[in-house]
Structure formats: structure tokens, C-alpha cells
Amino acid sequence: MHLQNDLLIRAARGENTERTPVWIMRQAGRILKEYREVRQSAGSFIDLVKNPELVTEVTLQPVDILGVDAAIIFSDILVIPEAMGLPYEMVESKGPVFPKTIQTYEDVKALRIATENELDYVFQAIRLVKKELNGRVPLIGFAGAPWTLFCYMIEGKGSKDFSKARKMLIQDSGLSKDLLDIITDSTIFYLRAQIDAGANLVQIFDSWAGVLSGEQYETLILPYVQRICREVKGAPITVFAKGNPGVRAALGKTQCDVVGLDWTMSITESRILVGPDKTLQGNMDPAMLYGSFDEIKKATKAMLKEFGPRRHIANLGHGVYPDTDPDKVKCFIDAVKEFSS
Ligand code: CP3
């Protein structure tokens, strides 16, 4: 399928583009009333995620309403633990909860590597989205990084510092390695299958990278990320290690194509640390979208100037906050298009 707008893919590969591509992490979701209506009709979040027709509808909403340069498949990173045999629940206004967690070797042994069987609903949705998009913009696939999934599988819910997961990493390196290995195997299968189904780029979300030191991340966690980058082929790969500035230089040496930056990371410094061979993605503070339209435009202009016209994919430095006015999101997107042309 020929892409009419392939700015994202060309920017990811380091090719020249007429302007900077832009999309928004968590663009498909609660900021849009159109999403909330579909979510309501689906029943639960998990029912929505497992319904390819409804997933297609909410995946396309931000393309139609916000004018982003990419769609991202509507799903969640926690479908992988579920496919491995550790189901989750999504508790209203609380977030994900795992009734059962990983504590012992027996727990790890009871897990399986995720396969086509458990995840077919995702691949069906990707094929349907691609058909509906009809080449308008690329489709982004995604997965949680091994460390972030490890955090949820040990802790069983969200946490400020994931101290139980970090305790496991320190006290039982054998169990930790086995668990990270099986998550990595599952993720490699999953991302390859997303690309086979039609994903044009895949992003690895390491949302909890920041609870580890740069050195810990580099020695204990990065090898798994690197294995994914090495073994998943056929589409550019973005790695977003949120909150861990110490690992940027090492990420520059992995086989990924794009390095995601959060809003605390200096753009100029990141460019030096990551090196010239990777595209950078980010990194407007999501809270900036609580500012006035003029303030958003000014901040966007400054951000674009610091990144420069090449090897940049414009985005926020983390997911858009649920109570953000969609018109402010649109203001950011339009400003990127205008000021980078
Ligand atoms: O638009 C998109 O970006 C695609 C959809 C998407 C969701 N989750 C849908 C979702 C993506 C890319 C994710 C990734 C995800 N899920 C991450 C990594 C990105 C990040 O924000 O750091 C993480 C850590 C999760 C786990 C998760 N899922 C949490 C902690 C929560 C509850 C808190 C929250 O953000 O809402 C979810 C629920 C979730 N995932 C919702 C959506 C739209 C809200 C639930 C609802 O609509 O009822």
C-alpha cells in the first residue's frame, strides 16, 4: 500500500522532509468526546481493546479530528502480560490491576511466550485500520518495554517508585533475567506480527525507565531492548525510555531508529549524546497545552528551532493529559505544520 503521507517514516529514516511530522502520544483516548462515546458503548476498556471494529473507529478519530501525521493502533501495553497468562483488569479512575502477580520461579514457569492465538484481535484490528486508512498516514504499532512490563507483572498495579520490582531485580537476578527474557521473546513475536499485519513503525514504551539509574538501566535492562531492536525488522523502531536521561548515549548505540525524549531532557544536549544517526522524537511538556493558544504557538516554535528541520518527529514529552482541551492539542499540531514548513 502506497502511503500518501510518509513524513513520519522518512523522518525516522533520517531522510529530508518538506516539514516536521507530528503525532501525539495517547492521541486516541479520553481527550476526545468521540472516544468517550465509543468507550461507553463498548462497556469496559478491555472489551473495547478486543473489538477490532471499535478499535478501528477510535484509532482513526485523531487522524480525522486532529490532523496528525500518523495513527497509533488503539490498544494497551498490558495485552502482552495477559497473552503470557497474567490477565489484568482496568479499574475505573485507578488504572490497571493484576489479580495475580509474579513472585516465585513457579510463577515465571507458569507463563508462556505470547502467540498469535492470544493476540489475534490486535492483528485483525491492524489489518482493518490499514484498510480504512487507505494509505492516508502511516500506522504506528507499539509494545511496552521489558522493564515496564516487568514492573507491572511484579507489582500488580501502578506505583510511584516500583520498589517491589526493583527489589526483585536486586534480590533475585536469576528470576529477573528469566522473566525479562520471556517478556522479550513475547515482545519480539508481537512487534514482528504487528509489522506483518501492516504497522509502518513500532514504538517501545519504557514508561518506568526512570525508576532505575542510568547505569542500572544500561547494564541490566538495555540488552533486552537491544535484542528487540536487533531481531525486529521491516519497520523503523522508536525507543522511549521516559525519565532516564542517563541512558541517552547508550540508546544512540542501539539498533533503533528513533529515540524518544521527555520534556525534562534538553534537546541540544540530547542531540549530542544520542549522536547524528538517530531521529529524535518529542518533547513538548504536556502541561504546556494548559497554556493559552499564543503560549502554545510560541513554545512550539522554540521547540522546532532547537530540534532543527531534520531528524525530528514532533510530539509531546509524554502522553497527553486526559483533561486537555482538544483545541489546544490541535493548536500544537497546526503550529508544528506551519512553523516547520
Ligand atoms: O493513543 C494511543 O497512544 C494509543 C493507546 C494507548 C493506550 N495505552 C490506551 C489507554 C497506548 C499507547 C497505551 C500505552 C500504555 N499503557 C503505557 C505506556 C505509555 C505511557 O503513558 O507511559 C502504559 C504505562 C500503559 C498502562 C496503562 N493503561 C495505565 C497506567 C492506564 C491507566 C492510566 C491512564 O493513563 O489512563 C491505562 C489505561 C488506558 N490505556 C486508557 C487508554 C485510553 C484509559 C482507560 C479508559 O479509557 O478507560
Side-chain angles (χ1 to χ4, degrees):
M1 165 75 63
H2 174 75
L3 287 170
Q4 290 143 43
N5 172 348
D6 63 352
L7 291 169
L8 177 90
I9 306 305
R10 281 191 283 140
R13 294 205 180 108
E15 296 168 19
N16 285 327
T17 52
E18 305 79 78
R19 63 168 175 81
T20 303
V22 55
W23 69 283
I24 308 282
M25 286 187 276
R26 298 298 196 99
Q27 64 189 21
R30 291 162 302 173
I31 57 161
L32 298 175
K33 72 170 188 325
E34 293 84 352
Y35 166 79
R36 293 194 297 269
E37 281 162 21
V38 177
R39 164 84 169 71
Q40 192 74 30
S41 75
S44 73
F45 175 76
I46 293 176
D47 289 338
L48 171 55
V49 160
K50 292 193 174 171
N51 182 322
E53 280 79 24
L54 295 182
V55 164
T56 301
E57 200 177 331
V58 298
T59 299
L60 263 66
Q61 283 171 349
V63 179
D64 295 327
I65 300 166
L66 302 172
V68 283
D69 291 311
I72 176 163
I73 189 71
F74 187 84
S75 190
D76 202 88
I77 62 169
L78 303 177
V79 303
I80 282 292
E82 183 184 64
M84 292 170 67
L86 207 68
Y88 69 103
E89 293 159 8
M90 198 57 83
V91 181
E92 210 65 50
S93 71
K94 186 162 178 259
V97 176
F98 287 82
K100 218 175 94 228
T101 59
I102 302 296
Q103 306 301 330
T104 66
Y105 264 103
E106 282 64 47
D107 297 337
V108 178
K109 274 206 212 89
L111 295 172
R112 53 179 180 262
I113 298 175
T115 70
E116 187 83 36
N117 293 337
E118 299 89 14
L119 292 159
D120 191 49
Y121 62 93
V122 180
F123 311 131
Q124 274 185 41
I126 290 177
R127 287 191 291 267
L128 201 53
V129 167
K130 287 290 287 185
K131 189 164 153 250
E132 292 296 318
L133 273 176
N134 197 22
R136 272 198 288 161
V137 290
L139 176 65
I140 300 170
F142 71 90
W147 167 248
T148 288
L149 294 182
F150 179 97
C151 281
Y152 283 108
M153 291 169 84
I154 303 268
E155 205 101 21
K157 55 183 185 330
S159 157
K160 274 197 168 46
D161 52 15
F162 284 96
S163 58
K164 282 188 198 147
R166 283 158 51 225
K167 177 181 174 185
M168 186 66 85
L169 201 59
I170 303 283
Q171 281 195 338
D172 200 335
S173 59
L175 184 152
S176 297
K177 279 182 186 144
D178 285 358
L179 180 53
L180 287 163
D181 253 320
I182 184 170
I183 297 171
T184 303
D185 290 337
S186 298
T187 304
I188 289 168
F189 156 75
Y190 185 46
L191 291 176
R192 281 177 175 167
Q194 289 187 46
I195 294 167
D196 287 345
N200 301 103
L201 176 150
V202 291
Q203 173 156 330
I204 300 166
F205 282 94
D206 217 344
S207 304
W208 297 109
V211 300
L212 299 173
S213 73
E215 195 196 321
Q216 264 180 325
Y217 192 93
E218 206 175 317
T219 54
L220 301 176
I221 300 302
L222 196 63
Y224 300 95
V225 176
Q226 167 66 351
R227 182 150 78 84
I228 297 170
C229 294
R230 213 169 42 230
E231 294 184 23
V232 174
K233 295 197 167 70
I237 304 185
T238 301
V239 178
F240 178 42
K242 186 184 173 284
N244 200 322
V247 78
R248 284 172 294 177
L251 281 174
K253 296 189 187 78
T254 64
Q255 272 161 274
C256 74
D257 301 276
V258 183
V259 174
L261 304 181
D262 72 40
W263 69 94
T264 69
M265 296 170 181
S266 145
I267 297 165
T268 305
E269 184 190 66
S270 300
R271 192 69 89 184
I272 295 164
L273 287 171
V274 174
D277 299 332
K278 306 279 186 232
T279 295
L280 299 178
Q281 175 173 279
N283 73 340
M284 174 80 81
D285 179 355
M288 195 63 224
L289 300 187
Y290 296 123
S292 69
F293 290 103
D294 278 345
E295 285 165 336
I296 293 168
K297 284 180 204 162
K298 203 172 150 223
T300 307
K301 203 172 193 171
M303 176 191 81
L304 290 168
K305 187 164 177 244
E306 195 171 351
F307 273 109
R310 288 196 65 237
R311 280 215 175 265
H312 177 217
I313 296 165
N315 206 314
L316 304 178
H318 197 203
V320 59
Y321 298 132
D323 63 344
T324 308
D325 176 357
D327 287 338
K328 299 283 173 75
V329 180
K330 188 124 192 348
C331 174
F332 170 71
I333 292 162
D334 290 343
V336 171
K337 291 182 179 175
E338 185 189 334
F339 298 140
S340 69
S341 291

